[in-house]
Amino acid sequence: MGLVVQKYGGSSVADAEGIKRVAKRIVDAKKDGHQVVVVVSAMGDTTDELIDLAEQVSPIPAGREFDMLLTAGERISMALLAMAIKNLGHEAQSFTGSQAGVITDSVHNKARIIDVTPGRIRTALDEGNIAIVAGFQGVSQDKKDITTLGRGGSDTTAVALAAALDAEVCEIYTDVDGVFTADPRVVPKARKIDWISFEDMLELASSGSKVLLHRCVEYARRYNIPIHVRSSFSGLRGTWVSNEPQGDQQMEHAIISGVAHDVSEAKITVVGVPDKPGEAAAIFRAIADADINLDMIVQNVSAATTALTDISFTLPKTDGARAIEELERAKDRIGFESLRYDDQIGKISLVGAGMKTNPGVTASFFEALTDAGVNIELISTSEIRISVVTRADDVTEAVRAVHSRFGLDSDTDEAVVYGGTGR
Amino acid sequence: MGLVVQKYGGSSVADAEGIKRVAKRIVDAKKDGHQVVVVVSAMGDTTDELIDLAEQVSPIPAGREFDMLLTAGERISMALLAMAIKNLGHEAQSFTGSQAGVITDSVHNKARIIDVTPGRIRTALDEGNIAIVAGFQGVSQDKKDITTLGRGGSDTTAVALAAALDAEVCEIYTDVDGVFTADPRVVPKARKIDWISFEDMLELASSGSKVLLHRCVEYARRYNIPIHVRSSFSGLRGTWVSNEPQGDQQMEHAIISGVAHDVSEAKITVVGVPDKPGEAAAIFRAIADADINLDMIVQNVSAATTALTDISFTLPKTDGARAIEELERAKDRIGFESLRYDDQIGKISLVGAGMKTNPGVTASFFEALTDAGVNIELISTSEIRISVVTRADDVTEAVRAVHSRFGLDSDTDEAVVYGGTGR
């Protein structure tokens, strides 16, 4: 039995009862013979309450002091969790991000992990303790200031510790049973995925799946740490994310992993761009300088009769206004005609490593959308993903149609059959 | 203008408004040209709420994890205070006890400060920042674990930092105007003391005065750091505690500093102790081994006709049951007859360095009690203090009578006159 890293989110430790339930689960893993390292988030609404307090004393809370404030949240949950474990007769010690050796850069509120030096964790484990580590936080390499890792930071803490400690698996406990073939709120027939490759999971994460963040999966892939996403409420086996399926996971391997959707983006179309070298670069430089991440980018084929073209791209709605502002400012320099902004779009993505060698997949995908009467506005593909942009109103129907077409619905087993036909 | 350490208690930073008010006061000190280090406690009821949470997850919260939990409280208040100061246009940085270099022993929940190495605070000050430091907490020298200093710990943090940074003064902000000649809730005519010596303050603190704890005053005396106790609400000049009065403080110097009372103690009488060497030692060894601190100790003069004596002592009521238990266990070994336990007692103490050279003081003290019809059960004296134990019901009247007799009432100026008569 090796070392296991378990991560529990805020909803799993929302109150004293939740903490006691989680403590029991941790002790069970210890009793199974594992060395156990636990990464924990702040309790339930703690972080929101702290942010609220900060806004009451200052309209612009950010930076170093904001990190110092927020990290109080995990300090509370981890100490309580250690107490609850001791109360069950097992030894536990809690560690801040700094004590656990989570070394980051100095970018407050969204620091990146530079190194993990978990000497104290290793000692605590060797002495027979369960180690509880504060998620989401670290200490900056140069100034020794407390930092936070930004959104989804606790998952990243867990994977980084698992890598540094050479763990067997990083278990991410959450309030759903695992990763599904589609969002179960949109597709009631969505099935839990037993195993998915890092690559497919990365595509799902960047296509709108919320269960794991791209950053965390990327870290796990780099260090080859298997992730097991599962529910802290049910105790059922969840979804394994790893390089290769193991044991009976093999049987479940389909060519399509799932369908993701995303309605958090907007589309900007730059109309009437001179069709000559350097124009697109100038547009995207203006956006990049404002620190805005673009998603899909499409340039229309120029009509032969004109020297102008249109460039469309999608980006988070929250960055929309700022992007328009930046482009307007650069309008004369770039020389386009006008901008169109559309925040009523949705994106549907089909993800699966199997599609590389199955040329029929793309055709089936578009047939499904056509049959459902869904109009396509943009298309973008990778080796293992097809994404389209549609009207936001069409997303639910489009996801269901594609999910069903590729045999992912839970009352069929076509997923496997489909892979077998080589269609 | 030199360096000032200011300490604000939980009631001063109970909510966002309180934090903003305190921030303004801090900025005023900075504008006056001082380098400012601020020690802050947890907001209002935060500590109680955390203790409550701990009790929900485990019936026996204590030790390392309990300290980790409680220190979240100051983390929140100090970060918010730094934000509030920044919002007023001044630079501030917050530091945990560990970051501030407060090094302690490893006794969790009541650690002692071993050393203070405030290198980061000094750097922050030199860079023009106001430094905010978490009170009540440190880091253990050997294990690098987070510790707390126990009751009144934030005051001790403030004085220790003031000593390490060679501050001009340590200002303790609280919700009263300073140290009074008696508890104003008992003696409405009690006067605020302008200046009091370390020695007198130590006696008042150990005689029941709650404004400053003995430990904090002892630390200040050892490093000769003047303390200024004052209100965070009024901004008035409070009470200076120091070796020698300065400037106009001199005029206020009376031979009597004040009257303290304490109803938190109980009395144990060990009846029928063989009157031979070693018996008292055996009794007090049994108590000391249980880590119980005694206060007054009185041995009755043996009657010539018997070889037995009685020994009485006072101790905190909270330790009463445990002391009785320890003594009963040692009964056969020590060989006393019986134990009497009395928790309906009160202690009244008169404190003043002037009484050393004023022989009339003791007589006046007892006359005042006699005139008030108060019966005396135990007497104990030091060079600068007389204490008596009475019935708890008599305390209020006794304190008022003594306070009045020594001219401490606020509508007279007899305090000074009295000192002049040499009575």
Side-chain angles (χ1 to χ4, degrees), chain A residues 371-384:
Chain A
D371 291 353
V374 173
N375 193 41
I376 295 165
E377 304 187 8
L378 292 179
I379 301 170
S380 150
T381 61
S382 79
E383 287 280 286
I384 59 172

Side-chain angles (χ1 to χ4, degrees), chain B residues 186 348 368-369 371-374 393-403:
Chain B
V186 171
I348 300 104
L369 294 173
D371 290 352
V374 173
D393 289 346
D394 288 338
V395 164
T396 298
E397 204 163 347
V399 172
R400 286 180 188 161
V402 172
H403 194 267

Side-chain angles (χ1 to χ4, degrees), chain A residues 167-314:
Chain A
E168 261 180 12
V169 59
C170 179
E171 297 184 337
I172 306 279
Y173 285 87
T174 177
D175 51 4
V176 296
D177 283 333
V179 182
F180 281 73
T181 51
D183 185 337
R185 287 168 299 184
V186 171
V187 184
K189 288 184 169 181
R191 289 186 308 137
K192 191 191 71 190
I193 299 171
D194 284 331
W195 173 81
I196 185 171
S197 68
F198 285 128
E199 287 69 25
D200 282 16
M201 192 64 232
L202 282 172
E203 291 284 4
L204 282 181
S206 53
S207 302
S209 169
K210 303 279 191 302
V211 186
L212 288 177
L213 286 186
H214 190 279
R215 177 181 179 188
C216 154
V217 181
E218 180 61 49
Y219 207 112
R221 179 172 70 162
R222 196 180 324 144
Y223 293 96
N224 194 20
I225 299 295
I227 296 177
H228 185 186
V229 185
R230 57 196 303 197
S231 166
S232 71
F233 297 87
S234 74
L236 295 175
R237 171 169 158 169
T239 300
W240 283 78
V241 188
S242 63
N243 257 335
E244 294 292 335
Q246 289 155 11
D248 57 350
Q249 292 170 358
Q250 188 74 46
M251 295 174 58
E252 303 285 344
H253 189 203
I255 65 163
I256 298 298
S257 286
V259 186
H261 72 277
D262 190 350
V263 290
S264 70
E265 297 194 332
K267 183 177 71 172
I268 290 177
T269 302
V270 187
V271 180
V273 181
D275 192 8
K276 60 182 186 193
E279 286 302 309
I283 288 170
F284 297 125
R285 170 54 57 198
I287 300 291
D289 286 349
D291 206 19
I292 295 170
N293 284 322
L294 302 186
D295 181 22
M296 292 167 71
I297 300 171
V298 175
Q299 177 167 358
N300 296 355
V301 177
S302 306
T305 53
T306 163
L308 297 179
T309 184
D310 297 344
I311 294 178
S312 293
F313 56 87
T314 63

Side-chain angles (χ1 to χ4, degrees), chain B residues 39-289:
Chain B
V39 173
V40 69
S41 302
M43 293 170 72
D45 303 324
T46 308
T47 304
D48 289 338
E49 287 166 16
L50 292 174
I51 292 172
D52 186 51
L53 265 175
E55 283 169 353
Q56 285 180 48
V57 300
S58 170
I60 39 153
R64 180 183 188 281
E65 301 307 320
F66 198 53
D67 280 352
M68 187 68 97
L69 177 72
L70 293 187
T71 52
E74 289 81 32
R75 203 174 186 87
I76 294 169
S77 54
M78 73 184 191
L80 291 172
L81 189 52
M83 289 177 196
I85 290 169
K86 284 182 186 222
N87 198 38
L88 296 175
H90 288 258
E91 287 305 311
Q93 288 194 335
S94 66
F95 297 92
T96 64
S98 171
Q99 290 176 335
V102 179
I103 315 292
T104 73
D105 60 23
S106 293
V107 183
H108 283 290
N109 313 146
K110 49 177 183 180
R112 314 277 318 178
I113 295 176
I114 295 174
D115 195 10
V116 180
T117 54
R120 290 190 68 176
I121 305 297
R122 183 69 78 185
T123 304
L125 293 173
D126 290 346
E127 289 170 353
N129 290 285
I130 293 164
I132 317 287
V133 179
F136 176 67
Q137 58 180 248
V139 63
S140 70
Q141 190 168 39
D142 52 350
K143 293 188 181 164
K144 309 293 176 216
D145 280 333
I146 303 302
T147 54
T148 64
L149 306 179
R151 196 160 153 259
S154 290
D155 288 3
T156 308
T157 302
V159 171
L161 271 171
L165 292 164
D166 199 20
E168 262 180 14
V169 58
C170 179
E171 297 184 334
I172 306 280
Y173 285 88
T174 178
D175 49 6
V176 294
D177 283 334
V179 181
F180 280 74
T181 50
D183 185 337
R185 287 166 301 183
V186 171
V187 184
K189 288 185 168 179
R191 287 187 309 140
K192 192 190 73 189
I193 298 170
D194 283 332
W195 172 81
I196 185 171
S197 69
F198 285 128
E199 286 70 23
D200 282 15
M201 193 64 233
L202 282 172
E203 290 283 3
L204 283 181
S206 53
S207 302
S209 169
K210 302 278 192 301
V211 186
L212 287 178
L213 285 186
H214 189 278
R215 178 181 180 188
C216 153
V217 181
E218 180 61 50
Y219 207 112
R221 179 173 69 162
R222 196 180 326 143
Y223 293 96
N224 193 20
I225 299 296
I227 296 177
H228 185 187
V229 185
R230 57 197 302 197
S231 166
S232 73
F233 296 86
S234 74
L236 295 176
R237 169 169 160 170
T239 300
W240 282 78
V241 187
S242 62
N243 258 334
E244 295 291 335
Q246 289 156 10
D248 57 351
Q249 290 169 357
Q250 188 75 45
M251 294 175 60
E252 304 283 343
H253 191 202
I255 65 162
I256 298 298
S257 286
V259 185
H261 72 277
D262 191 349
V263 290
S264 71
E265 296 195 335
K267 181 176 71 171
I268 290 177
T269 303
V270 188
V271 180
V273 181
D275 191 8
K276 59 182 188 193
E279 286 301 308
I283 289 170
F284 297 125
R285 170 55 56 198
I287 301 290
D289 286 349

Side-chain angles (χ1 to χ4, degrees), chain A residues 15-17 19-20 43 50 53-54 56-62 64-69 71-72 75-84 86-87 92-96 99 120 137 143-146, chain B residues 15-17 19-20 43 50 53-54 56-62 64-69 71-72 75-84 86-87 92-96 99 120 137 143-146:
Chain A
D15 53 21
E17 285 315 306
I19 287 171
K20 286 195 263 190
M43 292 171 73
L50 291 174
L53 264 175
Q56 285 180 49
V57 301
S58 169
I60 38 152
R64 181 185 188 280
E65 301 307 321
F66 199 52
D67 281 352
M68 186 68 97
L69 177 73
T71 53
R75 201 174 188 86
I76 294 170
S77 56
M78 73 183 191
L80 291 172
L81 190 52
M83 290 178 198
K86 284 182 185 223
N87 197 39
Q93 288 194 335
S94 66
F95 298 92
T96 64
Q99 290 176 334
R120 292 191 65 175
Q137 57 179 250
K143 293 189 184 165
K144 310 295 176 213
D145 279 333
I146 304 301
Chain B
D15 53 21
E17 284 315 306
I19 288 171
K20 286 195 261 188
M43 293 170 72
L50 292 174
L53 265 175
Q56 285 180 48
V57 300
S58 170
I60 39 153
R64 180 183 188 281
E65 301 307 320
F66 198 53
D67 280 352
M68 187 68 97
L69 177 72
T71 52
R75 203 174 186 87
I76 294 169
S77 54
M78 73 184 191
L80 291 172
L81 189 52
M83 289 177 196
K86 284 182 186 222
N87 198 38
Q93 288 194 335
S94 66
F95 297 92
T96 64
Q99 290 176 335
R120 290 190 68 176
Q137 58 180 248
K143 293 188 181 164
K144 309 293 176 216
D145 280 333
I146 303 302

